[in-house]
Amino acid sequence: MKKRISIVGAPMDLGQLRRGVDMGPSAIRYAGVIERLEQIGYEVHDMGDIQIGRPKLVTDPKTGLRNLEAVVTANKKLAEKVDNIMRRGDFPLVLGGDHSIAIGTLAGVSKYFNSLGVIWYDAHGDLNTAETSPSGNIHGMPLAASLGLGENELTEIGGYFPKVKFENIVIIGARALDPGEKQLIKEKGIKVYTMHEIDRLGMTRVMEETISYLKERTDGVHLSLDLDALDPLFAPGVGTPVVGGIDYRESNLAMEMLAEAEIITSAEFVEVNPILDERNKTGILAVDLMGALFGERLL
Ligand SMILES: NC(=[NH2+])NCCC[C@H](N)C(=O)O
Ligand SMILES: [Mn+2]
Ligand SMILES: [Mn+2]
């Protein structure tokens, strides 16, 4: 992995309805992310947070989409920041914020690769569009938008689309999918390791398969890690918890295997909501996982 990491916070909470996830970047910083990564031997630049402001919450009466304009504006800012980080040759590490910010991260990184891969570590598919969304929440749509599906305002951020091809994504940890998402997954043959496969194969095999699959077809891999992929026992501070999730040890192992494989070229950790958390447990967990992802070893 690159020896310099640039961190940017995206204090976004407009992609869903539970207030507080805008404090995610602070919670992760307070859990000691900078010190932790420096300890491993990286040079870390904290670029601070993008400005999101306090726009009035709105729902489009026609599409049901919530806060579209504000989400687009913020993602354009994030895309630009991430683009700058890539141009400098640093590793971009984005702290969320709700998952809608993945649209901006991917817009910033994807053009630097011929064939970017994405690992979507999440209880959800985030493959909805306005037509299939049960909620109108854009944090349920970023993977769809990055694949070129949904509102033009979302798919065209960064001035190009799609950001990623269907065959280049691997979803890990899925256990809550909406009907339209299931249909899309089947129709496009998207690679998904649900909790069933994780139970059945074990995380070692899931990651071995994921890594070799992506190595074959991509020249870079973005890790989009939604803390709700983990069981709420380990990650209570998330807005849309789903029981029966991945555990702490499995997730740690997954990150260590990615570190060993040296395939990850950018990452984001999203959906940490300190208001819903217990003494920053979820923020601390995020930093533990970052430690593993960036190569921390006990001995
Ligand atoms: N990034 C997330 N936590 N997404 C949850 C999405 C939940 C649901 N599928 C929706 O579209 O509203
Ligand atoms: Mn999720
Ligand atoms: Mn998500």
Side-chain angles (χ1 to χ4, degrees):
M1 239 174 232
K2 292 169 182 170
K3 266 298 163 199
R4 263 194 351 224
I5 299 172
S6 278
I7 292 183
V8 50
M12 159 65 78
D13 69 347
L14 303 166
Q16 46 82 64
L17 295 176
R18 320 266 317 250
R19 300 302 110 207
V21 65
D22 56 320
M23 293 185 275
S26 298
I28 296 171
R29 285 194 184 90
Y30 297 153
V33 61
I34 312 264
E35 300 74 6
R36 190 77 170 261
L37 298 175
E38 282 175 349
Q39 197 93 59
I40 305 170
Y42 291 90
E43 189 186 325
V44 184
H45 292 274
D46 190 346
M47 300 173 68
D49 295 343
I50 57 160
Q51 291 304 309
I52 295 184
R54 291 281 163 212
K56 201 167 150 254
L57 303 182
V58 290
T59 304
D60 186 282
K62 269 234 274 308
T63 60
L65 281 179
R66 299 177 193 276
N67 311 316
L68 176 62
E69 214 185 293
V71 170
V72 167
T73 305
N75 272 298
K76 283 183 177 163
K77 286 185 194 167
L78 179 59
E80 218 177 286
K81 284 259 183 200
V82 171
D83 188 336
N84 284 332
I85 296 171
M86 289 298 290
R87 201 174 320 146
R88 279 207 297 278
D90 289 7
F91 182 105
L93 174 59
V94 178
L95 314 179
D98 74 55
H99 217 162
S100 65
I101 62 158
I103 300 172
T105 308
L106 281 167
V109 295
S110 180
K111 61 180 171 206
Y112 288 89
F113 302 91
N114 290 319
S115 184
L116 182 70
V118 173
I119 295 177
W120 201 265
Y121 201 86
D122 201 325
H124 308 94
D126 295 343
L127 287 166
N128 278 310
T129 59
E131 286 75 46
T132 64
S133 171
S135 62
N137 293 334
I138 298 177
H139 83 150
M141 309 179 184
L143 190 50
S146 303
L147 289 161
L149 305 174
E151 311 302 298
N152 296 340
E153 289 100 312
L154 293 172
T155 59
E156 285 168 7
I157 289 171
Y160 67 106
F161 74 96
K163 310 302 188 294
V164 50
K165 297 181 271 196
F166 286 95
E167 62 271 27
N168 280 11
I169 61 182
V170 180
I171 299 174
I172 298 175
R175 55 193 183 280
L177 298 168
D178 297 316
E181 296 184 299
K182 292 182 188 173
Q183 201 188 325
L184 184 70
I185 286 169
K186 286 192 186 138
E187 204 178 286
K188 301 290 182 185
I190 296 173
K191 198 168 177 65
V192 183
Y193 291 97
T194 69
M195 290 313 298
H196 174 83
E197 282 80 36
I198 296 173
D199 291 341
R200 195 133 194 175
L201 306 173
M203 189 54 97
T204 304
R205 170 110 173 260
V206 167
M207 293 314 296
E208 282 169 357
E209 287 183 11
T210 297
I211 288 163
S212 67
Y213 180 80
L214 290 173
K215 262 189 173 170
E216 264 170 35
R217 63 190 66 234
T218 68
D219 56 348
V221 178
H222 173 67
L223 171 66
S224 196
L225 191 146
D226 183 331
L227 271 296
D228 72 28
L230 282 100
D231 193 274
L233 279 172
F234 305 102
V238 298
T240 49
V242 189
V243 295
I246 308 175
D247 82 18
Y248 182 95
R249 294 252 41 91
E250 291 170 317
S251 297
N252 220 75
L253 175 66
M255 297 302 113
E256 287 169 348
M257 290 180 75
L258 289 176
E260 231 173 71
E262 297 182 39
I263 57 168
I264 300 300
T265 46
S266 55
E268 69 205 331
F269 286 73
V270 303
E271 296 282 344
V272 174
N273 184 332
I275 286 186
L276 305 171
D277 208 0
E278 300 160 7
R279 295 177 172 269
N280 209 18
K281 191 174 179 178
T282 309
I284 293 166
L285 165 65
V287 173
D288 281 347
L289 295 179
M290 289 178 206
L293 175 67
F294 288 97
E296 196 175 75
R297 275 301 164 96
L298 186 60
L299 292 169

